[in-house]
């Protein structure tokens, strides 16, 4: 297939390379000058999408997605798939999908989980919103870039699934970190804490697969000085999207709001910027009540 890939950053770059390695022709565009293996670079987004069967975007946020969509939709081939893999707000995802559909395109919102490691290894999970027809066309590419695709329903539902998942993740990571810090103060050995919780009702992905305590459980960013991994800044972005969606849908999400407030403080006022989101544990370690 002829593929256009717009946004060749930490995630988009390796995803585009995997498509090239699988035998597809990939033309890319990024506002930063980046060289990505196997991707021929176009001078503009509009140039990149010329004649493409599938256009993939992997961009920082909803405003940028909307502005790129305004540029490229009129230039895309009728019947082409517009596959947005960025994490953006549900409203932007739905607005861009409606605009693409009105232009005779097949839109999909398909945010990912799995991070840079998953993008490089081709093992991402895609959460997809959009029509069956659009998904059928994009599925072979999703199978190259990832190992699992879940069709979540109509346009925007991929983003809805992503932010609900990450709201749970933010909350459970905070809960796991504060429990470790409490256990320390109670004189409970961290290995014993892990052995109990990871096999008891307090278990979670944050504890079992991504333990925030160094030297405990499987290897995680805690074992690498809390270098990301999944940066606290990105967790804050996703939590803010969850609260924006909750506001728009009039949903009561008190723990999601508390997690957003805490990650905002951590990233903007403390030393969380650029650290893994599990570095909440050293943050709690150094603190007292109140
Ligand atoms: P990144 O900042 O590394 O990449 C974004 C790229 O988009 C940059 O190279 C930037 O120059 C480019 N860009 C910005 N504006 C543009 C425009 N108008 N036209 C063309 N290119 C433009 O970010 P990333 O880590 O690759 O993340 C991309 C998306 O994936 C985000 O929405 C993020 O939330 C999501 N995501 C990231 C991770 C992760 O672990 N990094 C995990 C899951 C989801």
């Amino acid at each position: 297939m002829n593929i256009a890939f717009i946004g060749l950053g930490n995630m988009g770059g390796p995803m585009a390379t995997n498509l090239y390695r699988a035998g597809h022709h990939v033309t890319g565009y990024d506002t930063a000058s980046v060289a990505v293996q196997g991707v021929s670079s176009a001078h503009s987004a509009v140039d990149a999408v010329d004649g493409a069967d599938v256009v993939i975007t992997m961009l920082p946020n909803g405003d940028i997605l909307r502005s790129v969509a305004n540029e490229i939709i009129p230039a895309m081939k009728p019947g082409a798939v517009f596959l947005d893999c960025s994490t953006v707000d549900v409203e932007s995802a739905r607005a861009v999908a409606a605009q693409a559909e009105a232009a005779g395109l097949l839109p999909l919102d398909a945010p990912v989980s799995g991070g840079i490691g998953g993008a490089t290894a081709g093992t991402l999970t895609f959460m997809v919103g959009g029509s069956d027809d659009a998904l059928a066309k994009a599925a072979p590419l999703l199978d190259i870039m990832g190992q699992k695709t879940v069709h979540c329903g109509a346009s925007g539902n991929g983003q809805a699934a992503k932010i609900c998942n990450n709201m749970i993740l933010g909350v459970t990571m905070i809960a796991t970190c504060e429990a470790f810090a409490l256990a320390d103060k109670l004189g409970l050995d961290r290995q014993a804490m892990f052995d109990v919780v990871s096999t008891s009702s307090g278990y979670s992905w944050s504890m079992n697969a991504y333990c925030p305590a160094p030297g405990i459980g499987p290897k995680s960013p805690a074992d690498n000085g809390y270098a990301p991994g999944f940066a606290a800044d990105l967790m804050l972005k996703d939590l803010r999207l969850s609260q924006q969606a909750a506001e728009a849908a009039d949903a009561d999400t008190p723990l999601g709001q508390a997690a957003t407030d805490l990650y905002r403080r951590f990233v903007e006022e403390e030393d969380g910027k650029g650290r893994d989101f599990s570095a909440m544990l050293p943050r709690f370690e150094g603190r007292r009540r109140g």
Side-chain angles (χ1 to χ4, degrees):
M1 279 196 222
N2 278 323
I3 298 167
F5 210 117
I6 299 173
L8 298 163
N10 290 323
M11 297 290 289
M15 290 164 74
T17 294
N18 284 337
L19 294 171
Y20 154 76
R21 287 198 182 124
H24 294 288
H25 183 262
V26 188
T27 305
Y29 175 71
D30 194 295
T31 42
S33 54
V34 289
V36 174
Q37 193 201 350
V39 177
S40 47
S41 49
H43 293 297
S44 69
V46 168
D47 279 351
V49 305
D50 187 34
D53 304 300
V54 177
V55 173
I56 305 177
T57 44
M58 195 49 166
L59 297 163
N61 59 49
D63 288 344
I64 294 177
L65 171 67
R66 283 179 194 246
S67 97
V68 168
N70 279 334
E71 264 185 77
I72 63 174
I73 285 176
M76 282 174 64
K77 187 163 94 174
V81 175
F82 185 156
L83 175 62
D84 176 44
C85 296
S86 329
T87 303
V88 304
D89 57 289
V90 175
E91 247 175 290
S92 293
R94 291 193 171 141
V96 165
Q99 194 182 346
E101 227 156 47
L105 305 172
L106 294 171
L108 291 171
D109 53 294
V112 305
S113 86
I116 298 164
T120 306
T123 56
L124 294 168
T125 295
F126 290 93
M127 296 148 250
V128 183
S131 69
D132 290 334
D133 284 356
L135 181 53
K137 275 198 157 182
L141 305 184
L142 299 176
D143 288 345
I144 293 164
M145 297 184 287
Q147 63 184 0
K148 189 172 168 65
T149 297
V150 181
H151 193 189
C152 301
S155 291
N157 283 17
Q159 299 294 348
K162 166 84 184 173
I163 58 176
C164 288
N165 180 74
N166 280 20
M167 187 173 80
I168 294 171
L169 177 61
V171 168
T172 58
M173 180 54 81
I174 290 169
T176 304
C177 291
E178 67 183 39
F180 262 119
L182 170 62
D184 287 347
K185 291 193 175 179
L186 296 175
L188 175 60
D189 176 67
R190 285 185 170 184
Q191 185 65 51
M193 164 85 173
F194 176 84
D195 291 346
V196 170
V197 175
S198 66
T199 55
S200 300
S201 46
Y203 85 101
S204 68
W205 186 86
S206 296
M207 174 61 88
N208 290 37
Y210 205 92
C211 182
I216 311 281
K219 279 260 169 293
S220 71
D223 301 307
N224 190 26
Y226 295 100
F230 185 47
D233 324 42
L234 286 177
M235 173 49 81
L236 175 59
K237 171 191 168 181
D238 292 356
L239 285 167
R240 280 180 164 147
L241 291 176
S242 76
Q243 294 316 289
Q244 189 181 335
E247 188 71 40
D250 194 20
D252 189 20
T253 55
L255 289 181
Q257 185 60 56
T260 308
D261 293 343
L262 202 49
Y263 272 105
R264 190 202 59 73
R265 275 218 303 277
F266 187 47
V267 169
E268 294 180 355
E269 295 169 16
E270 301 167 358
D271 64 346
K273 195 169 175 54
R275 301 181 83 192
D276 189 72
F277 83 119
S278 61
M280 271 287 163
L281 175 52
R283 176 193 185 277
F284 280 116
E285 269 168 23
R287 297 175 67 88
R288 299 162 63 97
R289 200 164 180 77

